[in-house]
Every structure is written in C-alpha cells, then in structure tokens.
Amino acid sequence: MNKIIYLDAAASAFKPQSVISTGVDFLQKSYANAGRGVCARATAVDDMVANARARVAKFIGAKPNQVVFTSGATDGLNRIVNIITSQPGYREMSTFAVSDLDHHSARLPWEALLHRGKIRKMFKCELDKNFDINPNEIPKTDFLIITAMSNVLGRAQDVKKIIAAARSKNPNVITIVDASQYIVHKKIDVKKWDCDFLVFSGHKIGADTGLGILYIRDSEKYFPDKFGGGMVQSIYDMRAAKNADYGAWIYENTGSCWVVLHSPEKWEAGTLPLTQIAGLVPAIDYLEQNRPNLDLIKYAYDELSKLSRVKILTKRDATILSFVVDDMHPLDVGAMLGANNICVRAGNMCASWIHQLIGVPGSIRLSVGSWNTIGDIKKFISVMKKIVK
C-alpha cells in the first residue's frame, strides 16, 4: 500500500505513541470510574483526573477549579450559551458580537438565540485589510465571541487587545474565546487575556477525540447547565431544610433543596471520558516539545505561488495554507489529491462567513503536524502541478 501523506493536522492531529501507550495502559491495567468509588483503583483514577486537570491549568495559566472537561470544543461553545442564558437575571434584551472569522460552532448557538428571540441584537466586529479583528472597531456589547485563530486563514488574533478594547466600552462584557486552532501553535495565558470563557479540543493537540476543555473564570458564580451523577453533594427535603443554610441552589416548587459540589465537579455530570483524559498529559507534554514545523508551510507557499492557476488565500507566515484553483471546485481538487494518497481538507471548513467575505465557496487547506517532512510537501507540490496542468 502506498504511503498516506496526512496534511490535515488542523482538522485533527495524529496521536503520539506516548498518548496511545498511556490510553492502552489505562484500559488494560488501571480502568475504573471516577468520582464514584472508594477502592484504591477508583481513587487512583480520581488522582489521574486531578493531575490531568492541573496539567491543563498550567498549560493555559488557569487554576484547576476553572478547568472543565467536556466532550469537545463544540460542546463547550454550546454549553457556554446555555450557562449564560440560564442564570437568574439574564436579560433577553442583551446583545452579542461575533466576527466573520468564526467557526460555525462559535457563532451559530448565538444566532439561534437571536432566531428564538432570546437575545436582542447581533453586532459584527470589523475586520481590517488582513482579515484580522480590528480592536479599534469593537462594538459595545454584552457578549463578545472571539476566534483566536481562523481555521481558514491561520492568523493569530491579538486577543488581549481585543478584550481590553471591549471592556473599555463595557466593563461587564462577557468574553468567549475559541482557541481550538491557536492552542496548537502558541502559548495561552488566560489571566493575561482577561477572558471569561475559553474552549479548545483535545484531538487537535494530539489527545483522543471526545474530549474538550472549557475554561470558566468565575467557575463558582454560575449555576450548572447539566445535571446528574457526580455533581450533587446532597438533596434534602425542603421541610427538613427550611431552617438550615446549606448555601444551596433552591427550587422551592420541586420540594427539594439541592446542594451541588464546588467547581469543577459541579460542571461534570455523568461519567467523564476517562481514557481520553488519561492521554491528555502526554499529549500536552509532546505538543510543547514538538510544535508543527511552519517552515514547511512557507516552503509550500513559495512553491504553490509558482502555479498560475492557484490563488493562495493565506499569508506566507500563517500556520496553515489555504488556496483555490481557477475553474476547479475545491472538493474536486481535494478528491484528486486524495486519489494520490494526500489528505487535505477541502470545503468551507465549517467557516462559511470568511469564505463569503473572500468571495469563494470554499477552499483547499494544507496543515502540518510534527510528523510531516519536507518530502511530504514536495510530493504534494508534485501532484498539484499535475492537477493544474
């Protein structure tokens, strides 16, 4: 079988051997549920989860109780909307701001609120000539959604400056950062950014699928959005509890007094994706020592620029390379590359708005991981020359 050249790291990263070995070892030798048992094996799993949470916190400059495990970045972005809108005092007259850089999962949950009449108005952040969010044109709004790095253009946004500009117009603005692409290439410090929420996915940094990270700055402030096993401390009959102060969220019409655990457990109802969490620490360790080699992107840019039918959409110093071919649909180009054992992404990348702004229906995207070599790129260029000939 011919070698597959995988140039789609921005969609999902290959898993380093350390992640694979850790997951297999956990399943074979250490598996038990977390937060449920009192035996030594269950306690060891609890310790594993706590250690992984602490490693993530260090990775992004957070505290462990601010780190919540979810099923993915999409899950986290949708949960943020549910968390915010379920709080006592949420006003349907609120406004939100997005940008054309956004992935569907970052923007659509907010547009759905607008469609249902659960929020008043949407603003769009202006982009400059480089398609970067212009900090000088941030609207005054209640909620601001920021894509830290577009999965089409691969340019890091100045998140700290954008958030500071938003707070200068509304000190109480709630800021949500989609860091799914950014986290792979650059260091994040949530304290310096001053964001309220942040999400990224495990599978893009070399961990397994089915795992995401949700950072909540004021993690004790909000009421949970999901309920079930693992997040309840106690439930009392209201008649027995009426003269007591449990510091609980109370719904009198249910006849029960709820006492939920502190963060992060109060956000993690049900069984966690334990095997994925087991592989998270080696994934982060590996990524910090083996960031993608972006010189490969520069080489591909230079070589692809020589092909007259190819229009490159990204800058030479971007973390990815997106392009279109004159008189060819992106999916056709992607299929022809695939027929030659080269895997790239083709389509709208779940980012329709930036493609509409640029004026193309979709694009072809090349992205690299630590496993890629200059030989992979040379093979890609060789096949592209045949496609556009």
Side-chain angles (χ1 to χ4, degrees), residues 13 34 48 71 84 92 160 169 184-185 195-196 200 208 235 246 248 252 270 274 279 281 294 311 323 330 362 381 385:
M48 179 274 288
S71 68
I84 287 172
E92 293 184 355
K160 179 180 178 181
K169 296 183 177 180
V184 178
H185 300 282
C195 57
D196 296 288
F200 64 93
D208 202 356
I235 294 181
Y246 295 103
E252 295 186 9
L274 297 170
V281 171
L294 297 184
K311 177 184 178 182
F323 64 97
I381 294 298
K385 287 179 179 179

Side-chain angles (χ1 to χ4, degrees), residues 79-379:
R79 287 188 65 182
I80 290 168
V81 174
N82 294 334
I83 290 167
I84 287 172
T85 57
S86 66
Q87 300 309 306
Y90 169 72
R91 299 180 303 109
E92 293 184 355
M93 293 303 290
S94 299
T95 64
F96 69 100
V98 295
S99 82
D100 284 336
L101 298 180
D102 293 331
H103 187 278
H104 292 168
S105 58
R107 179 163 158 180
L108 288 180
W110 293 92
E111 290 198 4
L113 280 184
L114 189 64
H115 177 71
R116 298 198 305 267
K118 299 297 182 181
I119 201 164
R120 179 171 64 88
K121 187 175 181 180
M122 180 181 85
F123 295 102
K124 279 211 304 186
C125 297
E126 295 294 326
L127 303 184
D128 64 19
K129 63 180 181 180
N130 292 317
F131 299 109
D132 292 327
I133 297 172
N134 187 347
N136 298 319
E137 299 294 337
I138 300 297
K140 181 180 180 180
T141 188
D142 298 300
F143 307 103
L144 174 63
I145 297 86
I146 304 166
T147 294
M149 180 180 288
S150 164
N151 68 342
V152 177
L153 300 179
R155 288 174 60 85
Q157 300 301 297
D158 192 340
V159 177
K160 179 180 178 181
K161 191 171 183 179
I162 293 167
I163 290 177
R167 295 205 190 284
S168 71
K169 296 183 177 180
N170 177 9
N172 298 316
V173 63
I174 302 297
T175 56
I176 300 105
V177 179
D178 176 1
S180 299
Q181 296 292 330
Y182 192 106
I183 193 80
V184 178
H185 300 282
K186 292 182 176 291
K187 178 70 176 175
I188 285 176
D189 188 324
V190 292
K191 292 192 295 294
K192 290 182 179 178
W193 278 5
D194 192 26
C195 57
D196 296 288
F197 295 88
L198 179 141
V199 302
F200 64 93
S201 52
H203 71 95
K204 291 188 190 297
I205 65 169
D208 202 356
T209 50
L211 173 65
I213 304 300
L214 167 59
Y215 162 79
I216 308 177
R217 178 166 62 179
D218 298 321
S219 55
E220 295 290 3
K221 170 183 175 181
Y222 297 102
F223 186 66
D225 63 316
K226 295 175 71 173
F227 308 93
M231 52 83 69
V232 175
Q233 177 177 310
S234 303
I235 294 181
Y236 297 88
D237 184 279
M238 280 298 298
R239 291 168 296 180
K242 66 179 182 179
N243 294 321
D245 180 11
Y246 295 103
W249 298 90
I250 299 175
Y251 281 88
E252 295 186 9
N253 61 337
T254 69
S256 296
C257 170
W258 304 3
V259 183
V260 299
L261 294 169
H262 291 288
S263 182
E265 288 82 4
K266 76 174 185 178
W267 301 109
E268 295 174 347
T271 297
L272 290 169
L274 297 170
T275 309
Q276 292 89 330
I277 292 172
L280 191 53
V281 171
I284 294 173
D285 291 345
Y286 184 88
L287 176 66
E288 287 188 328
Q289 298 299 317
N290 299 276
R291 299 278 185 179
N293 180 5
L294 297 184
D295 286 341
L296 298 180
I297 296 293
K298 292 181 175 66
Y299 179 85
Y301 182 99
D302 292 342
E303 293 300 309
L304 212 56
S305 298
K306 300 173 183 177
L307 305 181
S308 60
R309 290 182 61 195
V310 173
K311 177 184 178 182
I312 299 178
L313 307 178
T314 48
K315 302 292 185 180
R316 188 175 184 271
D317 62 351
T319 60
I320 56 179
L321 194 159
S322 297
F323 64 97
V324 293
V325 178
D326 286 345
D327 301 321
M328 292 188 70
H329 195 283
L331 295 179
D332 291 335
V333 178
M336 294 175 76
L337 285 165
N340 286 273
N341 299 314
I342 298 174
C343 299
V344 297
R345 180 78 185 273
N348 67 15
M349 318 300 164
C350 304
S352 298
W353 300 285
I354 190 63
H355 283 102
Q356 291 171 6
L357 187 63
I358 294 172
V360 295
S363 59
I364 306 101
R365 184 185 70 195
L366 180 152
S367 54
V368 298
S370 60
W371 58 87
N372 289 121
T373 66
I374 190 65
D376 294 340
I377 305 302
K378 288 181 177 179
K379 176 63 175 178

Side-chain angles (χ1 to χ4, degrees), residues 4-6 9 12-16 203 205-207 286 371:
I4 296 295
I5 296 175
Y6 187 78
S12 196
F14 279 177
K15 315 311 168 195
H203 71 95
I205 65 169
Y286 184 88
W371 58 87

